[in-house]
Amino acid sequence: QKEVEQDPGPLSVPEGAIVSLNCTYSNSAFQYFMWYRQYSRKGPELLMYTYSSGNKEDGRFTAQVDKSSKYISLFIRDSQPSDSATYLCAAAGGTSYGKLTFGQGTILTVHP
Amino acid sequence: NAGVMQNPRHLVRRRGQEARLRCSPMKGHSHVYWYRQLPEEGLKFMVYLQKENIIDESGMPKERFSAEFPKEGPSILRIQQVVRGDSAAYFCASSRGASGYNEQFFGPGTRLTVL
């Protein structure tokens, strides 16, 4: 079983839609949770990170963590074609905070 | 305010040759991480280094792979006697580091192709 599971999609939505991206994890030691965005043939770009459970909002993006169910979510409001990318969830904690464990990534396409 | 720099961006090697990938962290960052991304797979952690120290190499293959981060100069990921299965994108990230979690910022990657 992978420590972080993510539905690879692909996910296709119309412009303006609310996008919900989700991951689950199995390692109870994880305390830090991140979302990265990766455009084709580029490096991952950090979008959000949260510590433990709770919500965090930044512009059109909201990250949620529910440690009781080991569930991580990213919501994108008013999605734009420029949001089309692969979204990677990641987690860290336990004995090595330096090691990020990534999900497989979800491919998102926002069509005009 | 340069970000993480990696070179070369593309590297082609024949089986059995050596590949050297370089990473310069962001200004003010003293912690470096290497990840590998195979086709159709997510990013996999390889190694975590500070200046002159390997902190965590739990993701490094036991043979042919090594990494260093010298006192002066960039971090180097070295792959000896490359095989076709080493073809992947290799990403470097850096952070300020010290203790606990620190945000990791990624470079553009080096795409290694083994012929």
Side-chain angles (χ1 to χ4, degrees), chain A residues 36 38 41 49 96 98 100, chain B residues 33 35 37 56 103-104 111:
Chain A
Y36 284 85
Q38 186 176 23
R41 305 190 71 76
Y49 96 90
S96 177
L100 297 186
Chain B
Y33 315 81
Y35 294 82
Q37 189 171 40
D56 181 352
E103 295 166 310
Q104 294 185 23
R111 280 162 179 79

Side-chain angles (χ1 to χ4, degrees), chain A residues 2 32 34 36 38 40-46 49 88 92 96-105, chain B residues 9-10 33 35 37 40-45 48 56 58 91 100-101 103-109 111:
Chain A
K2 294 181 180 179
Y32 297 92
M34 305 104 224
Y36 284 85
Q38 186 176 23
S40 181
R41 305 190 71 76
K42 301 289 186 184
E45 172 193 6
L46 180 63
Y49 96 90
L88 300 160
S96 177
Y97 289 97
K99 174 182 176 181
L100 297 186
T101 301
F102 282 87
Q104 187 178 351
Chain B
R9 296 292 306 276
H10 300 275
Y33 315 81
Y35 294 82
Q37 189 171 40
E40 309 304 321
E41 291 189 19
L43 284 158
K44 303 291 186 188
F45 169 83
Y48 166 24
D56 181 352
S58 59
F91 291 96
Y101 169 74
E103 295 166 310
Q104 294 185 23
F105 297 90
F106 282 77
R111 280 162 179 79

Side-chain angles (χ1 to χ4, degrees), chain A residues 22-38:
Chain A
N22 308 293
C23 291
T24 59
Y25 66 94
S26 59
N27 189 340
S28 298
F30 288 152
Q31 294 178 288
Y32 297 92
F33 306 92
M34 305 104 224
W35 285 95
Y36 284 85
R37 177 175 63 194
Q38 186 176 23

